[in-house]
Amino acid sequence: MEGQYNPRTVEEVFRDFKGRRAGMIKALTTDVEEFFQQCDPEKENLCLYGFPSEQWEVNLPAEEVPPELPEPALGINFARDGMQEKDWLSLVAVHSDAWLLAVAFYFGSRFGFDKADRKRLFNMINDLPTIFEVVTGSVKKQKEKSAATNHSNNKSKSNSKTQRGSESQAKYSRAPQPKDDDELDEEDEEEHGDTLCGACGENYATDEFWICCDICEKWFHGKCVKITPARAEHIKQYKCPSCSNKRARP
């Protein structure tokens, strides 16, 4: 388990929160196959930990009482085979959200955050989608429904190959076509501005390469799934790590 450090300002606590959150999202999305295997129901009470370094770990709870930090939910491994995988992952995600808030406000209390600091910290945290929302795709579904109502002429996101090609062309044609920059950015931002990366949960940005899974239709930063624009051009059907690793469960 990684060594602890103590963030002391609102910005430091939020940075700690984002790092731990990113690690846990990774466990429940891009690294889900490894996470599933580590949560063996035959083992003792296991917890999912997220670290400020954006890494995750499945391990036994801390032995010291009381622990240095609040502990995640115990025994996440026991329910693994007793329910549908997606329901189990959603349950772990909910408990992970609760743990992240507990850790953040533990630091806030320990280092004497006043009412204004606590409110600012919560608002910063609240601007990010929860792990549950990222794992279940509920935020994307809500925003896609709203976008469909407000922008009925938008192209369907299911046409991922065409969009990937046009996005790639737009990014690599900016230099020879400077007059179209603003128009391309505005259209791209309008159509995808509410899209969240299925791996890290961050919002769409026009200056980053994205790719859409043809199976679950979730969008990902190329860097999060280790896909470059050049490699994407040769992929006929892209499957994200989660869809690629799916197999029949006993």
Side-chain angles (χ1 to χ4, degrees):
M1 196 177 296
E2 288 193 1
Q4 303 288 355
Y5 81 102
N6 296 321
R8 295 173 180 268
T9 67
V10 171
E11 288 72 23
E12 288 176 345
V13 171
F14 181 60
R15 188 159 55 246
D16 178 274
F17 176 93
K18 285 185 67 177
R20 295 177 189 275
R21 171 181 171 275
M24 300 177 98
I25 288 176
K26 190 183 299 182
L28 298 174
T29 56
T30 55
D31 295 347
V32 67
E33 185 73 10
E34 182 182 353
F35 172 68
F36 185 94
Q37 292 174 354
Q38 289 192 26
C39 291
D40 185 349
E42 298 300 319
K43 295 182 179 178
E44 297 182 44
N45 284 306
L46 293 176
C47 304
L48 171 61
Y49 293 89
F51 299 115
S53 61
E54 301 187 5
Q55 300 302 309
W56 61 273
E57 178 182 68
V58 171
N59 208 337
L60 295 170
E63 294 182 1
E64 65 267 26
V65 178
E68 185 174 353
L69 289 177
E71 283 292 310
L74 293 173
I76 58 171
N77 50 315
F78 295 147
R80 190 195 74 176
D81 295 342
M83 55 199 305
Q84 292 289 329
E85 182 182 350
K86 65 177 182 179
D87 294 332
W88 175 66
L89 292 174
S90 297
L91 180 64
V92 176
V94 169
H95 283 292
S96 299
D97 284 320
W99 178 67
L100 288 177
L101 284 172
V103 171
F105 282 87
Y106 164 83
F107 285 130
S109 179
R110 179 175 179 181
F111 295 111
F113 286 8
D114 59 19
K115 181 179 179 180
D117 286 338
R118 293 194 302 272
K119 183 176 181 179
R120 187 157 63 94
L121 174 60
F122 179 79
N123 286 339
M124 293 167 74
I125 290 173
N126 202 40
D127 282 338
L128 295 173
T130 63
I131 296 177
F132 175 81
E133 289 170 336
V134 172
V135 170
T136 61
S138 59
V139 169
K140 179 184 175 184
K141 291 175 184 176
Q142 293 168 11
K143 292 185 175 180
E144 282 181 347
K145 183 177 179 181
S146 174
T149 302
N150 297 328
H151 306 286
S152 59
N153 61 337
N154 279 357
K155 294 180 180 179
S156 170
K157 287 186 181 181
S158 62
N159 188 9
S160 58
K161 286 302 165 189
T162 302
Q163 290 185 353
R164 276 204 298 277
S166 63
E167 284 176 15
S168 178
Q169 291 170 8
K171 287 177 175 58
Y172 288 97
S173 63
R174 285 183 178 178
Q177 296 180 338
K179 292 182 180 179
D180 294 333
D181 275 358
D182 293 339
E183 293 178 10
L184 287 171
D185 286 347
E186 288 174 6
E187 291 176 2
D188 213 24
E189 194 68 42
E190 180 180 337
E191 185 170 353
H192 303 288
D194 291 334
T195 302
L196 303 174
C197 175
C200 70
E202 296 297 326
N203 287 88
Y204 176 85
T206 56
D207 60 346
E208 296 178 303
F209 174 71
W210 282 58
I211 189 167
C212 181
C213 175
D214 288 308
I215 306 302
C216 65
E217 296 187 3
K218 289 184 179 180
W219 287 83
F220 299 85
H221 287 108
K223 63 183 180 182
C224 289
V225 291
K226 297 181 175 60
I227 298 291
T228 63
R231 183 179 174 189
E233 291 297 323
H234 301 285
I235 300 176
K236 292 183 179 180
Q237 183 185 55
Y238 174 67
K239 291 183 181 181
C240 69
S242 179
C243 291
S244 296
N245 290 329
K246 280 184 178 176
R247 56 182 173 84
R249 302 297 184 193

